[in-house]
Every structure is written in C-alpha cells, then in structure tokens.
Amino acid sequence: MPDFDTLIVGADVVDGSGAAPSRCDIGIVGDRIAYLGCSVEARAARTVQAAGMLATPGLIDPHSHSDWSVLGNRYAFSTIHQGVTTEVVGNCGVTYAPLGAADVESACSALRALGYDGPVDWRSFGELVDTVHSGGTAQNLVWFVGHTAIRSAARSNAETGRCDEARERIRLLEEALEAGAIGLSSGLEYGAGRFADAEELAALTGVVGRRGGLYASHIRNRDTALGAAVDEFFHVVHRGGGVRAQLSHLNVRYDTGAGRGAWEQAAQRVINERQRGTDVLADMTPYPHGIGMAVGLLPGWLAVRPPAEAAGLLADTDVRARVRQDCDRYWRFVHRGQWDRVRLGVSPTHPQWEGLTFPEIAERHGRDEWDCLFDILAAAGADLGAVQLLGRLFTDDHLADAISHDHFLLGVDAFSTRREGPLHARTRDPLFYYGHTHYLSHHVRTGTLSLELAVHKMTGMVADHFGIRDRGYLRVGHHADVVLFDPEMLRQADTWSMPDEYSRAARHVWVNGVPVVSDGQHTRRLPGHMLR
C-alpha cells in the first residue's frame, strides 16, 4: 500500500501563517495533510512534481454571495479555478431562506436568472442547505442566514399564521442556527433590512451571541453618515452581548460626500474596539468596482412597499419625477449624474443590456439614464430585488489603504460563475473570474502586500476569525485544502480585462484531499462540505 494518496514534491510552501515561503513536500492521506518535510522516501498513489510552484492553503473568501449561484453552478468553476476552496456565504442579509409564502415567486425568478431551473420547494433555512449540499458542491461553504430573509419571512408568516412577528424572527433565526448557520448577516442599505432599527437587530444578535456565533453587517451608510453607521454597528454588537463580528466591505465610494478622514476614523474604530476586547474584523474587495443592488437607489417611501407594487408605481411619470429628486442615497454619485460609472449587472427582463453602461443603454433605448433604470425596475415587477448593478466605486489609493490594513480580510463580494449559460451572460466582468488572483498578482506586484501576507489575509486569518477549524493553514492534521499556483502565470495575468477563459494560475486544487483542478482542468468532482 502507498504511504500517501498524493505526494506534492518540491513546492515553495506559503503556509497561511504569514511566514516566508519554505521549500518542502506535502503528503496527503484521505482528506488530511499527513506530512510536511523535505526528506521523506515514500510511495504515493499520485506524485505531483511541484518545483518552482507555490503551494498555499485553499483560499477562503470571507465575503461571498455564491449561495445565490451554487444551485446553478455546483462546480464553482470561476472560484475553484482561482484556488478558492471555502466560501463564507449568506452575506448582506440576502439569503434565499427562510422563505415566506410571499417571497417564493421572486426567489424562483432570481434563481432562474442565476442558472437554476429546479424547484424552489424549501421554506426553512435547513431545507435550503440540505438542497444545496445533498447535490454536492466543489467547494466548502460556511453559511450565514440573512436578516432580510428572516424579516420578510417573519412578516409573511405573521400575516398568514397570526404569530407575533418579533417572536417569529427569533424562531426563524434559532432554526437556522440549529441547521448550521454560523450567525446572522444584515444588509442595511437596501431591501427590508433598511427599515430595521438597532433594537430589532440587537434582539437577534443576542441570540447569536449566546450561541458563540457571528454577526456580519453591510452597514447602513458608507458616505455622508459613515461614522453614525459604524456607531450603530458596534451598538448592536455590544447589545448582543459582545457577539463576534465582521464589518463587511468597510469602504467609502468616492465623490459621495464622505467627510475628510471618515474612513480612517472608521478603521481606527475597529482597532480601538479590538483593544477593548471586541472580536471584530473588516474586509475589503480587490477592484475599484463592485456589485450593487438597484433597489438601494430607491427612496424609503417607495422601497417600503412590496416589490411588485413598487415596480408598478415606477411606471407612473409623477412617481418617477419624485424619485429623481429623492434618490440621494446609496450610490450617491448617480444623483450627481455620474452614470458612466454604472453598468447593468443582472436584469431578468433586460438581459440584452447586461454589461452595458447606462449612457450606452440610454443611447440604445432612446431615453435618459433615469428612465432606463425605471423601465428596467418597472419591468422586473416582483423581481425588483434581483436587479443588480456594477459600479466604479473606489480610488486606487483607498483600495491600497484598506487591503493593506492589519485588521482587514480580503474578499471579493461576488459569486462563483461559469463560462456558459445564464450565469455567464450576467457576469461580464473580471471581478467574477479574477477577483481572488488579483490580490496575488496586481496587489502583490505593486507592493500593496507581500505574497505571504496576502495569502495569510486570504487563508489563516479568515479561518481563525470565523472559527473554521483545521483549515486555512498547511499543517499536519489539517484538512487537505491545497493549491499549487504557477507564479509565472500569476505575474502575467491580465486581471483587469474580461477573460475569455477561467483563471489559469491555480494549476492544481485539492478540496478535502480530492483533486478538483488537475493540470489546470476541472475534474468535475464535488468533495465540498458544509462547514458548521
């Protein structure tokens, strides 16, 4: 019998701790790393010659939305090909469970737009994760349950079942935690989450805190009132009994009215809170652009209405005129007329415009940019929340400051996609295909981070904060989530342009000891787990 299932020989190992690379061999038995060293004489069922290659732990995305696309992309093509073996999903309050009766139709439509054409026959969070994991996934998934989903389902259940809405929120959260959610996420700039006050959130985080879970939040404001939004976040964390916390994508969009030094003060607040004993980190994204929810642009008096009703009102010219005057929120640069910074990302009803800037859409449609947006949203009907935008959001200097910050993890804030079908049509941006390797190529090459620090902020540091046991490091006894990168391919990668293929730098990827990428080719194996 061979001593190892796989023996990786002669790699330069970046072990996830932040230490400098060292050359050694890696032996894998079953789903675990069984050997790290330089002088073993052993037999292996498979030997991979790795001289000149970089071996790292599987990358862990601390802020992913791949729960939106996993049912249409179980093979996780775009992220696995970048070396991502674990994704923390269910962020920004938006999960497709729990589902109230009023939300089933919109969930069906949104998931169809993301490549899933199967039944939406789950209602509880546990039923959703069973549906996902019973069919297999290429990557490991760590799940939050979304506050927006809980809030909407509780309201729907209260209307039909005559239960108390606040108690129903607690019940749905506890049910999700029992089913394996690591905690609660919130999205307070859009959707139902924007109408929740701090006391509602604190009641829920108290439940999470008593179970040792986490609270992650897309906070209420990241421009003119950033300081107040950060204050609210920590108020909720402390009212929740000091729940472990993640301040999602703590950044400031340029030219949106943020005060001088506002971001620096917010980042310092994270440092101060950690010094007081609060277990909190933040995260950042790799590019100057990112995803946004179109409904975030709508004023509260319209967004508070059910999606189909709000969409119907947007067909009215008087309502449109009022919205134009009352939309200075979320992506505030739109209110200032900077539509060239915005592309249409996902539209279930207007896929022919996806990927175009709004000035380009306006030229084709023969109407101005606001009316183009209103036409897209009005046509969406109950699927209003499925309309996504891509925006040019951050300056290069701001990116570098956040990415290099000691207390910021490195995420992408996107979802795994594939190069065919509905998902490919809706992900025409390098963010989805190169976001993770962009840290290891562009940001390392330009000196924002050293390679070993970048890997640490994408592996071990994430595992430690989220309590992901026995992953994030290349250590004997840890799960064998391992990546072999070709450093020359990393250096040569053009991660700014839309790719015509998957990222090629991760030549070999093992998930739980199983090869999922071999010599640059996906093996179509699904060894991922739900990590509870």
Side-chain angles (χ1 to χ4, degrees):
M1 294 290 291
D3 298 298
F4 302 115
D5 297 319
T6 302
L7 182 62
I8 303 166
V9 178
D12 293 322
V13 172
V14 183
D15 68 3
S17 69
S22 61
R23 186 160 298 170
C24 69
D25 304 336
I26 304 168
I28 297 172
V29 175
D31 67 348
R32 299 278 177 162
I33 296 172
Y35 175 81
L36 288 168
C38 298
S39 59
V40 67
E41 291 186 8
R43 295 169 299 166
R46 183 190 184 199
T47 299
V48 178
Q49 297 297 332
M53 305 278 276
L54 294 172
T56 76
L59 305 184
I60 306 174
D61 189 342
H63 188 100
S64 170
H65 292 285
S66 286
D67 52 308
W68 299 352
S69 63
V70 64
L71 288 170
N73 183 30
R74 292 185 178 277
Y75 296 108
F77 288 105
S78 68
T79 44
I80 279 288
H81 273 288
Q82 295 177 74
V84 179
T85 60
T86 300
E87 300 184 54
V88 180
V89 298
N91 285 289
C92 296
V94 184
T95 51
Y96 288 113
L99 272 181
D103 301 315
V104 174
E105 182 180 350
S106 61
C108 286
S109 181
L111 289 166
R112 280 196 299 271
L114 294 170
Y116 174 64
D117 58 6
V120 178
D121 51 6
W122 62 84
R123 295 297 176 267
S124 71
F125 181 84
E127 290 168 341
L128 169 61
V129 297
D130 284 347
T131 298
V132 171
H133 289 282
S134 63
T137 60
Q139 79 282 50
N140 304 306
L141 296 176
V142 179
W143 290 79
F144 282 106
V145 61
H147 164 256
T148 299
I150 285 175
R151 198 172 201 271
S152 184
R155 174 157 297 181
S156 178
N157 293 350
E159 290 172 351
T160 58
R162 298 186 179 181
C163 55
D164 177 78
E165 192 171 331
R167 290 180 181 175
E168 183 67 356
R169 288 195 293 266
I170 297 292
R171 185 190 72 80
L172 291 171
L173 173 58
E174 289 179 332
E175 186 177 73
L177 295 172
E178 286 291 332
I182 63 163
L184 177 75
S185 75
S186 66
L188 306 180
E189 267 193 306
Y190 44 72
R194 66 197 275 191
F195 304 110
D197 61 25
E199 298 313 301
E200 175 183 319
L201 295 165
L204 295 170
T205 56
V207 174
V208 175
R210 286 192 293 275
R211 291 172 174 259
L214 286 102
Y215 172 59
S217 184
H218 173 134
I219 57 177
R220 204 174 295 276
N221 185 288
R222 286 178 286 154
D223 41 67
T224 58
L226 174 63
V230 172
D231 287 344
E232 179 188 47
F233 172 78
F234 283 111
H235 171 77
V236 169
V237 167
H238 294 312
R239 284 292 306 276
V243 63
R244 291 188 292 140
Q246 184 68 17
L247 220 170
S248 299
H249 38 58
L250 177 55
N251 47 44
V252 171
R253 310 169 189 113
Y254 73 88
D255 200 17
T256 54
R260 183 181 296 274
W263 179 82
E264 289 80 2
Q265 293 169 22
Q268 184 61 45
R269 179 71 182 277
V270 173
I271 296 172
N272 295 344
E273 289 286 343
R274 286 182 61 81
Q275 290 173 343
R276 296 187 185 110
T278 305
D279 189 353
V280 61
L281 291 174
D283 52 71
M284 188 51 184
T285 52
Y287 285 104
H289 53 278
I291 300 173
M293 309 294 283
V295 292
L297 297 173
L298 300 180
W301 56 265
L302 182 59
V304 72
R305 298 175 182 271
E309 182 182 339
L313 287 170
L314 281 170
D316 184 280
T317 55
D318 291 337
V319 172
R320 291 186 176 202
R322 185 179 172 192
V323 173
R324 286 173 183 258
Q325 298 302 315
D326 193 15
C327 62
D328 189 12
R329 62 176 316 281
Y330 193 45
W331 288 6
R332 293 178 182 270
F333 54 84
V334 171
H335 188 72
R336 301 179 183 194
Q338 298 172 23
W339 282 103
D340 61 303
R341 292 172 60 179
V342 186
R343 294 179 181 271
L344 180 62
V346 175
S347 169
T349 59
H350 291 75
Q352 72 276 17
W353 291 347
E354 291 170 345
L356 299 177
T357 67
F358 270 80
E360 290 170 335
I361 294 171
E363 183 178 356
R364 295 187 184 195
H365 194 42
R367 296 162 71 85
D368 78 358
E369 290 88 352
W370 276 113
D371 275 324
C372 291
L373 177 66
F374 295 148
D375 287 347
I376 291 166
L377 293 175
D383 300 334
L384 198 70
V387 180
Q388 294 177 21
L389 308 175
L390 285 167
R392 195 168 70 249
L393 307 177
F394 316 117
T395 66
D396 290 341
D397 287 345
H398 179 42
L399 274 178
D401 287 344
I403 288 169
S404 62
H405 195 284
D406 288 347
H407 301 309
F408 277 58
L409 305 172
L410 305 181
V412 171
D413 192 16
F415 49 86
S416 190
T417 187
R418 59 192 306 166
R419 291 206 51 79
E420 63 274 337
L423 268 174
H424 178 52
R426 288 167 168 82
T427 49
R428 297 172 179 165
D429 192 280
L431 177 73
F432 298 94
Y433 294 89
Y434 283 146
H436 303 276
T437 54
H438 191 67
Y439 287 117
L440 302 177
S441 56
H442 175 77
H443 290 294
V444 168
R445 187 172 65 248
T446 57
T448 302
L449 296 164
S450 66
L451 174 66
E452 52 266 32
L453 181 56
V455 170
H456 174 59
K457 287 160 75 75
M458 301 171 77
T459 57
M461 189 174 172
V462 185
D464 290 345
H465 185 58
F466 285 90
I468 303 172
R469 290 178 296 182
D470 296 341
R471 299 182 198 269
Y473 298 91
L474 294 182
R475 291 176 178 166
V476 171
H478 275 48
H479 291 281
D481 296 346
V482 183
V483 185
L484 278 182
F485 286 104
D486 182 325
E488 188 59 30
M489 286 184 175
L490 273 179
R491 282 191 290 270
Q492 293 177 357
D494 177 6
T495 59
W496 288 100
S497 61
M498 180 59 192
D500 56 8
E501 60 186 353
Y502 297 114
S503 177
R504 299 174 61 230
R507 305 305 297 164
H508 297 269
V509 181
W510 290 266
V511 179
N512 296 309
V514 176
V516 179
V517 175
S518 183
D519 291 319
Q521 300 298 311
H522 202 300
T523 66
R524 302 266 175 159
R525 300 179 73 176
L526 300 172
H529 298 320
M530 179 181 179
L531 306 183
R532 300 174 182 268

